[in-house]
Amino acid sequence: MRPLIARISSSALAHNLEVARRHAGGAKLLSVIKASAYGHGLSRAARALAASDGFAVLNIEEAVTLRQMGIEKPILMLEGPFDAEEMSAYSELNLTPVLHSPHQLEWLLLAGEPLNVFLKFNSGMNRLGFSLADFDAIAAWAKARSQVAQVTLMTHFATADEDFGIDWQWERFIAKAQAADLPISAANSAALLRYPETRRDWVRAGIMLYGASPFADVSAAELGLKPAMTLQSKIIAMQNLKPGEGLGYGLTFMADEATRVGIVACGYADGYPRHAPTGTPILVNGRRTRTLGRVSMDMLAVDLNNVPEAGIGSPVVLWGEGIPVEEVARAAGTISYELLCALAPRVALREEQ
Ligand SMILES: *Cc1c(COP(=O)(O)O)cnc(C)c1O
């Protein structure tokens, strides 16, 4: 069997939830498990994160899966209904829509039983959300609808993970929200970790639950988080390059000294980033070394000059325990979120404690 697997640690997920819980203080905690729980598997993550106060997903299908598992907690639909037809499923499954645009308010009138709703306001990210200029009218409209049980006010930060911070958005939003005397949801992982004033009633934790840091300048370990996914494989072939010989497609790596090379069963068709250049960190036999040359569809190459005992069958960690996914992401010019979410369906997930 091909040795590439992604080990998913339930205890790491539960541990990270505890860390999020500590930061959340008294706020209720929604575990964001969209995109197959950032690649970790929806139902597996939902089980490991069962102590959450609710979940947040994107698609009806995800919400159906959660309800079929017997989960009765609130399920926040992060972009609300995508068409009017979805409203009947929202009613049947008792889902909590994020409502961000006027056309969704019309669809809301089709709901059967009263639903809790999150009204999303655009405080500066300019992606989703009602204008803050319309705040009073929209909040009043929603409160007066028989289709609405509880209104929660929501916004989303564009720069919570960056030096720019959140004040510029938070001040605009909270000025309106405070006066309305309704529950508030603003914090994602970065805001939850860095800006306690944004915790309020519901926090929405995503990336931190999976054990990755949302910040470029603070590691997951420094935040007390444990990687929930370890992508591991083995060396399936060896090469000995002489000085002047090249390696892989395009021969982008040229050996300037004798180089022992291991060929690893993992490539871009598995979700490993093709943009990872020579020098991307990787673990062989528990030791840090570097990738060499271009990543192929099903394979990549590693430098074994500093891992002399390594050979066929030696264990390789692409990311996870011992090698933070953020480091691999940085080398490839992307973020941990993208690598985790892009894990290919052909990679088997193995759940463990
Ligand atoms: C995905 C998402 C989150 C979670 O963000 P993280 O940075 O992963 O914590 C929170 N809120 C909304 C609206 C989202 O779409």
Side-chain angles (χ1 to χ4, degrees):
M1 208 169 68
R2 193 161 177 256
L4 180 67
I5 59 162
R7 286 191 288 116
I8 307 298
S9 165
S10 300
S11 59
L13 287 166
H15 166 86
N16 296 333
L17 178 63
E18 273 311 304
V19 175
R21 186 63 89 191
R22 267 205 307 282
H23 284 275
K28 285 176 282 186
L29 198 150
L30 291 169
S31 286
V32 180
I33 53 174
K34 61 189 174 188
S36 282
Y38 293 41
H40 294 64
L42 180 73
S43 46
R44 183 176 281 109
R47 268 194 302 274
L49 300 169
S52 315
D53 298 305
F55 295 96
V57 296
L58 203 68
N59 292 312
I60 284 283
E61 291 75 11
E62 296 168 306
V64 169
T65 300
L66 297 179
R67 289 291 186 237
Q68 282 173 347
M69 288 172 65
I71 291 171
E72 292 174 357
K73 291 181 174 170
I75 299 179
L76 184 69
M77 305 302 290
L78 284 165
E79 294 175 16
F82 293 99
D83 54 49
E85 286 68 45
E86 285 190 350
M87 279 321 299
S88 55
Y90 273 64
S91 289
E92 264 164 50
L93 299 169
N94 187 25
L95 306 180
T96 303
V98 170
L99 303 172
H100 57 77
S101 297
H103 62 279
Q104 292 180 318
L105 299 181
E106 289 171 34
W107 299 343
L108 176 67
L109 302 178
L110 304 170
E113 294 297 302
L115 296 174
N116 294 334
V117 305
F118 279 39
L119 291 180
K120 184 169 189 175
F121 290 93
N122 171 18
S123 53
M125 188 164 177
N126 295 320
R127 190 178 60 175
L128 293 183
F130 299 104
S131 165
L132 280 172
D134 300 330
F135 182 95
D136 295 331
I138 287 173
W141 183 92
K143 274 167 79 172
R145 296 283 78 74
S146 64
Q147 292 84 1
V148 172
Q150 173 77 64
V151 175
T152 297
L153 305 170
M154 171 179 171
T155 196
H156 193 55
F157 298 122
T159 52
D161 57 332
E162 293 174 25
D163 292 345
F164 207 55
I166 53 132
D167 286 351
W168 64 285
Q169 284 187 270
W170 182 242
E171 281 164 14
R172 284 178 207 170
F173 173 74
I174 201 63
K176 291 283 186 185
Q178 198 83 18
D181 196 26
L182 289 168
I184 289 170
S185 175
N188 56 2
S189 296
L192 177 58
L193 290 164
R194 206 163 257 183
Y195 304 106
E197 68 272 26
T198 65
R199 292 167 187 168
R200 299 297 162 140
D201 300 276
W202 287 97
V203 300
R204 309 185 302 270
I207 193 71
M208 69 179 297
L209 300 176
Y210 307 102
S213 169
F215 307 114
D217 56 342
V218 187
S219 71
E222 287 171 298
L223 296 168
L225 303 171
K226 295 180 182 170
M229 178 195 295
T230 297
L231 183 63
Q232 65 181 40
S233 188
K234 288 183 177 167
I235 290 177
I236 60 165
M238 300 286 297
Q239 300 291 339
N240 285 294
L241 303 186
K242 298 191 194 79
E245 287 188 315
L247 171 65
Y249 286 116
L251 300 180
T252 60
F253 175 75
M254 301 295 292
D256 52 19
E257 57 176 349
T259 306
R260 276 180 88 234
V261 174
I263 306 299
V264 179
C266 182
Y268 63 78
D270 301 302
Y272 194 89
R274 188 176 171 278
H275 293 293
T278 289
T280 301
I282 189 164
L283 226 54
V284 179
N285 260 357
R287 292 221 258 165
R288 270 175 98 96
T289 179
R290 57 175 188 149
T291 65
L292 297 176
R294 273 197 197 141
V295 175
S296 304
M297 187 181 286
D298 311 311
M299 286 172 274
L300 55 81
V302 291
D303 186 344
L304 297 180
N305 273 359
N306 295 316
V307 200
E309 77 286 2
I312 302 286
S314 290
V316 175
V317 173
L318 289 307
W319 65 64
E321 275 170 18
I323 179 118
V325 64
E326 299 95 303
E327 282 191 41
V328 180
R330 198 173 308 129
T334 183
I335 54 174
S336 60
Y337 298 70
E338 187 181 17
L339 297 192
L340 297 173
C341 293
L343 188 75
R346 80 177 191 184
V347 180
L349 302 183
R350 183 186 295 166
E351 186 173 349
E352 59 182 40
Q353 273 313 299

